[in-house]
Amino acid sequence: MKTTYLTTNEAIDPVFIFIFGASLVLLLGITAVMVYFVIRYRRSRSPEPTSTADGNLWLEIVWTVLPTLLVLAMFYYGWAGYLALRNVPEGAMEVNATARMWSWNFAYPGGRSGTKLYVPAGKPIKVNLTSVDVLHGFYIPAFRVKRDIVPGMTNHVWFTATKPGSYDIFCSSYCGTGHSAMITTVEALPEAEFAAWLKEGAAGEGAAHPGLALLEQHGCLGCHSTDGSLKIGPSFKNIWGRKTIVQSGAADRTITVDEAYLKRAIMEPNADVVKGFAPAMPPYQLKQDELNAMIGYLRGDTVAVAPKIDGKTLAQEKGCLACHSLDGSKGVGPTLKGLYGSQVKVTKGGKLLSITADAAFLKESIKEPGATVVEGYQPTMPPYPDLSDAEMNAVLKWLEELK
Ligand SMILES: [Cu+2]
């Protein structure tokens, strides 16, 4: 695919070929002249100096000016290439990459995240780089980008994957025992496929169990295998109920892996370290439901996939449609047709405001309808505070489609 701007490959490759070519020509030329002189002016053939010349102005000018021009040209092309790497083309999609010991997480606008960098092919991608612990390096050889990730600083790279495919990502700065586990890929998908992937939500990459998806998302599987093979940390295979020797301080203890132990091992990994492993795991701060899902997976719970909720059915069941029409007609409350994303006048705290009925507003008006009331209507709607996140999302998705 042809782009209207120079991709990082198009900016870097000619500079590399130019400097490499100039170096190659000089290496071969100088070596050839050196070999020729060694033979031509060897001692047995010329025992006495044959020339008495002690200077040649033109020769000196040439061998000063030519190399100067050459290195200035190298500097110019190198600088232009550097600028191309630093200046992100307009309209680039932003992804936030977080590096930690020893995994990557890529977060997308819209909430999806994962350990592989999914991108639409042919579009410029800006990757914002942060580290939660030590120095890492973000390196994609295929796109000629490599950048240090310094804790406390935000850095960035950009690139365009012109062709769909899978490209390696490495960590280029040695960051501890599990450094080599920081290998993942850019997955460049055709644009439509990428859009579909992004819409799928934060379900994890093909993981059957939500707990497994979370383990993958948080990078746990970089150090812990699920098939019994040994990595930096103990394998998760058959971990539940396993008797293990742990080191707490200087003392060894035998424990049984249960819920309490696993929770502690995730949040305070260095308190009880399984014998034979280094205390290398960083502590994780997770939400209760995430923790429970992970532990559910480790316990071997059968897949508990939540039944799919249909927003419209839910709205019918909850009685929303008694007051809100779907065809644009005025009822006790405003119609739901075209509501999502529209401009509405509301009364909030006694003040009249004009706002956009976006997801946040709609969510609030379902949970606490009395707080903001659409102008021209009575504050008669009962609050629905007990909707689960999944139910709320289903309703919002349905409202969005009603547009
Ligand atoms: Cu690293």
Side-chain angles (χ1 to χ4, degrees), residues 69-332:
L69 290 179
L70 185 65
V71 291
L72 281 177
M74 285 182 183
F75 170 75
Y76 173 78
Y77 282 121
W79 177 244
Y82 175 76
L83 287 185
L85 286 182
R86 298 317 287 157
N87 295 328
V88 184
E90 255 173 63
M93 187 187 91
E94 296 204 28
V95 181
N96 293 323
T98 310
R100 68 184 312 157
M101 295 191 281
W102 292 283
S103 63
W104 300 100
N105 183 273
F106 301 102
Y108 295 79
R112 183 139 204 201
S113 72
T115 53
K116 287 184 178 182
L117 178 52
Y118 284 89
V119 300
K123 274 195 81 182
I125 312 296
K126 181 185 181 202
V127 188
N128 298 313
L129 305 165
T130 48
S131 164
V132 296
D133 39 46
V134 300
L135 186 75
H136 298 276
F138 184 78
Y139 181 27
I140 316 176
F143 304 128
R144 322 292 191 247
V145 294
K146 181 166 155 189
R147 203 79 199 155
D148 277 358
I149 312 174
V150 184
M153 258 176 80
T154 301
N155 214 328
H156 73 268
V157 298
W158 75 270
F159 65 88
T160 299
T162 46
K163 268 185 272 166
S166 182
Y167 310 90
D168 285 327
I169 298 176
F170 300 106
C171 175
S172 59
S173 287
Y174 181 70
C175 53
T177 323
H179 169 61
S180 62
M182 291 186 74
I183 177 170
T184 181
T185 49
V186 174
E187 299 293 338
L189 305 174
E191 232 178 305
E193 251 176 70
F194 174 78
W197 175 85
L198 199 59
K199 251 196 145 175
E200 253 171 57
E205 287 125 38
H209 194 288
L212 179 60
L214 283 164
L215 289 170
E216 190 178 352
Q217 199 183 321
H218 288 284
C220 314
L221 305 184
C223 298
H224 301 277
S225 77
T226 54
D227 61 1
S229 63
L230 209 59
K231 288 189 173 180
I232 292 145
S235 175
F236 286 150
K237 194 183 180 190
N238 300 330
I239 192 171
W240 191 262
R242 189 195 287 167
K243 289 225 183 321
T244 301
I245 302 174
V246 295
Q247 290 184 302
S248 331
D252 285 1
R253 288 192 302 135
T254 303
I255 55 103
T256 305
V257 175
D258 56 9
E259 184 164 341
Y261 171 76
L262 285 174
K263 278 192 173 163
R264 186 149 178 238
I266 294 170
M267 295 191 294
E268 279 177 72
N270 297 326
D272 290 320
V273 180
V274 176
K275 206 171 173 177
F277 293 93
M281 177 172 153
Y284 282 78
Q285 290 305 324
L286 299 174
K287 290 189 215 110
Q288 257 327 306
D289 54 339
E290 289 183 316
L291 211 49
N292 290 338
M294 284 181 177
I295 286 167
Y297 170 75
L298 296 173
R299 185 165 46 215
D301 287 2
T302 40
V303 180
V305 177
K308 228 174 157 23
I309 305 163
D310 175 50
K312 186 175 180 180
T313 315
L314 193 67
Q316 263 160 351
E317 279 171 18
K318 299 277 178 190
C320 315
L321 305 186
C323 298
H324 300 279
S325 79
L326 298 178
D327 58 3
S329 62
K330 196 175 163 172
V332 179

